Amino acid sequence: FPDVILKGESPDYGKAEWFCEVVLKSHQARTDFLRVDFPKEHHFGFHNHMIIDGKTWIIPHDSEYEEFGSALGWGGTLDEAAEMATEAAKSLKGDGVYFDDHVLEKAEAEIEKGKSVGL
């Protein structure tokens, strides 16, 4: 799991039962290099990135997609995992970076819909 999601990092998941991601986007990532800054205590998964002189750069992917990675969180409850992922997303800085602040609430609504039909 860490090799795929966290690119080889192996954080301590403790007794985590939930894992959340918040998709990160920027218009700039479509056509230009995007420098992102973030505190090292948070966890991210980036697509096509490189590190030069300790700075993280997202490599442009020349497509209509603005997604360049995810802020990650985990915990013993869905709320813990969601809070960790949201905190990480809010901590990341870069030109034009945005994310859907309500994506986790939407996911919970979909989970409830599934439960209502027996899933």
Side-chain angles (χ1 to χ4, degrees):
F1 185 72
D3 289 338
V4 175
I5 300 298
L6 298 175
K7 307 279 190 254
E9 291 186 25
S10 296
D12 180 5
Y13 295 112
K15 295 184 187 264
E17 294 184 26
W18 291 88
F19 186 87
C20 288
E21 73 173 328
V22 174
V23 175
L24 303 167
K25 303 177 184 183
S26 172
H27 302 297
Q28 183 172 329
R30 294 172 26 186
T31 57
D32 297 310
F33 284 84
L34 170 67
R35 181 175 155 195
V36 292
D37 296 302
F38 51 91
K40 299 299 181 204
E41 67 267 12
H42 292 295
H43 298 278
F44 299 91
F46 297 122
H47 313 297
N48 300 330
H49 72 286
M50 62 185 174
I51 299 172
I52 299 173
D53 294 331
K55 306 295 180 193
T56 301
W57 293 86
I58 307 302
I59 301 169
H61 46 264
D62 194 27
S63 74
E64 73 274 10
Y65 297 109
E66 298 181 345
E67 295 87 357
F68 65 86
S70 298
L72 308 171
W74 55 88
T77 67
L78 178 56
D79 288 341
E80 289 173 358
E83 182 179 334
M84 184 180 187
T86 302
E87 268 185 37
K90 289 179 179 179
S91 75
L92 185 127
K93 305 297 180 219
D95 286 342
V97 172
Y98 69 98
F99 61 94
D100 182 349
D101 319 50
H102 302 289
V103 69
L104 298 171
E105 293 157 4
K106 292 174 186 174
E108 285 181 307
E110 291 302 314
I111 290 170
E112 291 306 314
K113 282 184 193 176
K115 287 180 182 176
S116 73
V117 294
L119 296 177

